[in-house]
Amino acid sequence: MSMAGNLRKVGGLTKVGGLKKVARLGRQKPRVDLSHPVRSPLGSAVVKCVTYRNGVREEAGGDLKEAVHRVRESSDGFVWLGLHEPTELEFADIAELFDLHPLAVEDAVHAHQRPKIERYGETLFAVFKTVCYVDHAELTATSEIVDTGELMVFVGREFVITVRHGRHGSLGHVREGLETDQAQLAKGPAAVLHAIADHVVDDYLTVIDAVQADIDQVEEVVFSEDGERADPGRIYQLKRELLELKRAVVPLARPIEELASRPFQVVAPEIQAYFRDVYDHLLRAGEQIAAFDELLNSILQAHLAQVSVAQNEDMRKITAWAAVVAVPTMGCGLYGMNFKHMPELQWHYGYPLFIGVVSSICFVLHRAFRRNGWL
């Protein structure tokens, strides 16, 4: 039986009823390997449990407790345990086995944390916000563009525990990439932490490139001939989704900078150089997000200016036509009064003359307004 399958045998579940309940849940939700992106994120919280020694993966038997004991005795390997949305019950025995701090355990189980790095004795606890671009056929005022999740990482001398929340952010290909680079994996759990951080930041850049395409599309529509008819809700939606991305990227800068500069017992100086590279990429992502935010502000202001110009043009047209119509209205109003003695009332050509004068004045006004661009 694999170590993942025997994880529930770790001490701590002393009540028979509790064991039956866990077994029943295990039958209802068969275990799946969430490290593979096409698998369903249902079932056991255990994604993967693997032992590495000198950068080489070991197919060890027994349960998790025995594997950790062997690693601690040899002091030349570590255990990488991956979990997906574990409950307090599922995580309690793991926390006891690895002596994890209760505050960090609470954050890992309940999630909804800001990106951060905390040190509890010899254990590092890192929180990352994962992001994923949501494909959509057409950008609307309600389109979801960026989906976020969370990834917590516990790093000790002989273990790495990853806790993932959300339906994306799989670390399967990260694990596979590390296993092909045995020299890097032999550097220990800190190398895994770097690979995870690098993967998360690379996802930021990928999502930013995809968001840029949406911004370019909105910009093209706004500055088209019918730009004043563009839906401003699309711009606001982009700004909201960009804010969601900003909340994931910007707070991570300080934790990565600390990993790249501050001394940590579980992070060797040679690994810190790799974190400096991740920090550079993260700064670039933050700068692009800030530039996108400014660009969206400019696009929104340009759209509002276009709407204002269109409204002014409409008002000028209405005013010009009102001036043209005012001439016959005034003449008809004067001659519509019931007075006996008015100019040319008894003249045979008075009516045609009135119509001709009014038409001439209206024609001159219309030409003048056309020449000035009001009509």
Side-chain angles (χ1 to χ4, degrees), residues 108-159:
V109 172
H110 298 288
H112 304 295
Q113 303 296 317
R114 297 179 74 252
K116 61 182 179 179
I117 182 77
E118 293 181 351
R119 176 167 49 185
Y120 298 98
E122 295 185 356
T123 302
L124 280 182
F125 176 63
V127 177
F128 302 95
K129 285 280 190 181
T130 58
V131 298
C132 176
Y133 180 78
V134 180
D135 292 325
H136 45 271
E138 181 182 1
L139 179 63
T140 65
T142 58
S143 296
E144 183 182 9
I145 301 173
V146 178
D147 184 25
T148 60
E150 292 185 40
L151 181 61
M152 289 78 168
V153 185
F154 294 88
V155 180
R157 290 188 178 276
E158 69 281 343
F159 66 88

Side-chain angles (χ1 to χ4, degrees), residues 213-233:
D214 288 328
I215 295 176
D216 292 341
Q217 179 184 358
V218 169
E219 185 179 19
E220 182 180 354
V221 172
V222 168
F223 289 100
S224 63
E225 294 182 357
D226 296 330
E228 72 278 0
R229 299 182 181 178
D231 182 10

Side-chain angles (χ1 to χ4, degrees), residues 95-117:
E96 181 180 357
L97 178 62
F98 293 99
D99 193 23
L100 304 179
H101 196 278
L103 292 177
V105 172
E106 182 181 359
D107 291 344
V109 172
H110 298 288
H112 304 295
Q113 303 296 317
R114 297 179 74 252
K116 61 182 179 179
I117 182 77

Side-chain angles (χ1 to χ4, degrees), residues 50-55 71 75-81 98 117 122-124 126 128 153-162 174 178 182-197 259 264-268 270-272 275:
V50 182
T51 300
Y52 296 95
R53 197 181 304 275
N54 296 322
V71 167
S75 68
D76 60 352
F78 66 93
V79 175
W80 183 352
L81 175 64
F98 293 99
I117 182 77
E122 295 185 356
T123 302
L124 280 182
F128 302 95
V153 185
F154 294 88
V155 180
R157 290 188 178 276
E158 69 281 343
F159 66 88
V160 175
I161 302 174
T162 57
V174 176
L178 279 172
Q182 297 181 2
Q184 182 72 5
L185 191 56
K187 296 176 182 177
V192 177
L193 179 61
H194 161 261
I196 294 174
L259 288 172
F264 293 97
Q265 294 181 356
V266 296
V267 181
E270 57 181 319
I271 299 295
Q272 286 186 324
F275 280 112

Side-chain angles (χ1 to χ4, degrees), residues 288-301:
Q288 286 183 300
I289 291 175
F292 287 166
D293 193 36
E294 291 294 331
L295 180 59
L296 285 175
N297 287 335
S298 300
I299 293 174
L300 182 59
Q301 291 175 1

Side-chain angles (χ1 to χ4, degrees), residues 311-375:
Q311 291 176 346
N312 289 337
E313 291 179 353
D314 293 339
M315 289 301 299
R316 286 193 301 178
K317 290 180 180 180
I318 294 173
T319 303
W321 282 113
V324 173
V325 174
V327 175
T329 302
M330 182 180 64
C332 294
L334 288 174
Y335 279 89
M337 294 185 293
N338 296 322
F339 291 105
K340 183 179 293 185
H341 302 287
M342 294 189 70
E344 312 301 339
L345 284 179
Q346 304 301 323
W347 188 35
H348 183 72
Y349 298 103
Y351 180 74
L353 177 62
F354 173 79
I355 295 298
V357 172
V358 169
S359 300
S360 300
I361 295 174
C362 291
F363 177 76
V364 171
L365 287 175
H366 185 271
R367 288 293 302 271
F369 285 132
R370 286 290 299 271
R371 187 165 51 249
N372 292 327
W374 283 46
L375 291 175

